[in-house]
CSV table of all heavy atoms in Angstrom, one decimal:
chain,number,residue,atom,x,y,z
A,91,ASN,N,142.0,55.4,81.1
A,91,ASN,CA,141.2,54.1,80.9
A,91,ASN,C,142.2,53.0,80.6
A,91,ASN,O,142.9,53.1,79.6
A,91,ASN,CB,140.2,54.3,79.8
A,91,ASN,CG,139.4,53.1,79.6
A,91,ASN,OD1,139.8,52.0,79.8
A,91,ASN,ND2,138.1,53.3,79.2
A,95,SER,N,144.9,52.2,77.2
A,95,SER,CA,146.4,52.1,77.3
A,95,SER,C,146.8,50.7,76.8
A,95,SER,O,147.8,50.6,76.0
A,95,SER,CB,146.9,52.4,78.7
A,95,SER,OG,146.3,51.6,79.6
A,98,ILE,N,146.4,50.6,72.9
A,98,ILE,CA,147.5,51.4,72.3
A,98,ILE,C,148.7,50.6,72.2
A,98,ILE,O,149.4,50.6,71.1
A,98,ILE,CB,147.7,52.8,73.0
A,98,ILE,CG1,146.5,53.7,72.8
A,98,ILE,CG2,149.0,53.4,72.5
A,98,ILE,CD1,146.5,55.0,73.6
A,101,LEU,N,148.2,47.3,69.8
A,101,LEU,CA,148.2,47.7,68.4
A,101,LEU,C,149.6,48.0,67.9
A,101,LEU,O,149.9,47.6,66.8
A,101,LEU,CB,147.2,48.8,68.1
A,101,LEU,CG,145.7,48.5,68.2
A,101,LEU,CD1,144.9,49.8,68.3
A,101,LEU,CD2,145.3,47.7,67.1
A,111,GLU,N,159.5,54.5,66.9
A,111,GLU,CA,158.9,54.8,65.6
A,111,GLU,C,157.6,55.6,65.7
A,111,GLU,O,157.3,56.5,64.9
A,111,GLU,CB,158.7,53.5,64.8
A,111,GLU,CG,159.9,52.8,64.4
A,111,GLU,CD,159.7,51.4,63.8
A,111,GLU,OE1,158.9,50.6,64.4
A,111,GLU,OE2,160.3,51.0,62.8
A,126,TRP,N,151.1,57.1,77.9
A,126,TRP,CA,149.9,56.6,77.3
A,126,TRP,C,149.8,55.1,77.4
A,126,TRP,O,148.8,54.6,77.7
A,126,TRP,CB,149.8,57.0,75.8
A,126,TRP,CG,149.7,58.5,75.6
A,126,TRP,CD1,149.4,59.5,76.4
A,126,TRP,CD2,150.0,59.1,74.3
A,126,TRP,NE1,149.5,60.7,75.8
A,126,TRP,CE2,149.8,60.5,74.5
A,126,TRP,CE3,150.3,58.7,73.0
A,126,TRP,CZ2,150.0,61.4,73.5
A,126,TRP,CZ3,150.5,59.6,72.0
A,126,TRP,CH2,150.3,60.9,72.2
A,136,LEU,N,142.9,64.5,69.2
A,136,LEU,CA,143.7,64.6,67.9
A,136,LEU,C,144.8,63.6,67.9
A,136,LEU,O,145.1,62.9,66.9
A,136,LEU,CB,144.2,66.1,67.7
A,136,LEU,CG,145.0,66.3,66.5
A,136,LEU,CD1,144.2,66.0,65.2
A,136,LEU,CD2,145.5,67.7,66.4
A,143,ARG,N,145.4,56.4,62.8
A,143,ARG,CA,145.9,56.4,61.4
A,143,ARG,C,147.2,55.7,61.3
A,143,ARG,O,147.4,54.9,60.3
A,143,ARG,CB,146.1,57.9,61.0
A,143,ARG,CG,146.5,58.0,59.5
A,143,ARG,CD,146.5,59.4,59.1
A,143,ARG,NE,146.7,60.3,60.2
A,143,ARG,CZ,146.9,61.6,60.2
A,143,ARG,NH1,147.0,62.2,59.1
A,143,ARG,NH2,147.1,62.3,61.3
A,144,ILE,N,148.2,55.9,62.2
A,144,ILE,CA,149.4,55.2,62.2
A,144,ILE,C,149.2,53.6,62.3
A,144,ILE,O,149.9,52.9,61.6
A,144,ILE,CB,150.4,55.7,63.3
A,144,ILE,CG1,150.8,57.1,63.0
A,144,ILE,CG2,151.6,54.7,63.5
A,144,ILE,CD1,151.5,57.8,64.2
A,150,ILE,N,137.2,52.9,64.8
A,150,ILE,CA,137.7,53.2,66.2
A,150,ILE,C,136.8,52.6,67.2
A,150,ILE,O,137.3,51.9,68.2
A,150,ILE,CB,137.9,54.7,66.4
A,150,ILE,CG1,139.0,55.2,65.4
A,150,ILE,CG2,138.4,55.0,67.8
A,150,ILE,CD1,139.0,56.7,65.3
A,151,LEU,N,135.6,52.7,67.1
A,151,LEU,CA,134.6,52.2,68.1
A,151,LEU,C,134.7,50.7,68.2
A,151,LEU,O,134.8,50.2,69.3
A,151,LEU,CB,133.2,52.6,67.7
A,151,LEU,CG,132.1,52.3,68.7
A,151,LEU,CD1,132.3,53.0,70.0
A,151,LEU,CD2,130.7,52.7,68.1
A,158,SER,N,130.2,48.5,67.3
A,158,SER,CA,130.2,49.3,66.1
A,158,SER,C,128.9,50.0,65.9
A,158,SER,O,127.9,49.5,66.3
A,158,SER,CB,130.5,48.4,64.9
A,158,SER,OG,130.6,49.2,63.7
A,161,ASN,N,126.2,47.9,64.2
A,161,ASN,CA,125.5,46.8,64.9
A,161,ASN,C,124.2,47.3,65.5
A,161,ASN,O,124.0,48.3,65.9
A,161,ASN,CB,126.4,46.2,66.0
A,161,ASN,CG,127.6,45.5,65.5
A,161,ASN,OD1,127.6,45.0,64.4
A,161,ASN,ND2,128.6,45.3,66.3
Side-chain angles (χ1 to χ4, degrees):
N91 182 327
S95 60
I98 288 171
L101 286 168
E111 289 171 320
W126 297 343
L136 181 58
R143 186 175 21 172
I144 291 167
I150 297 167
L151 186 60
S158 182
N161 290 339

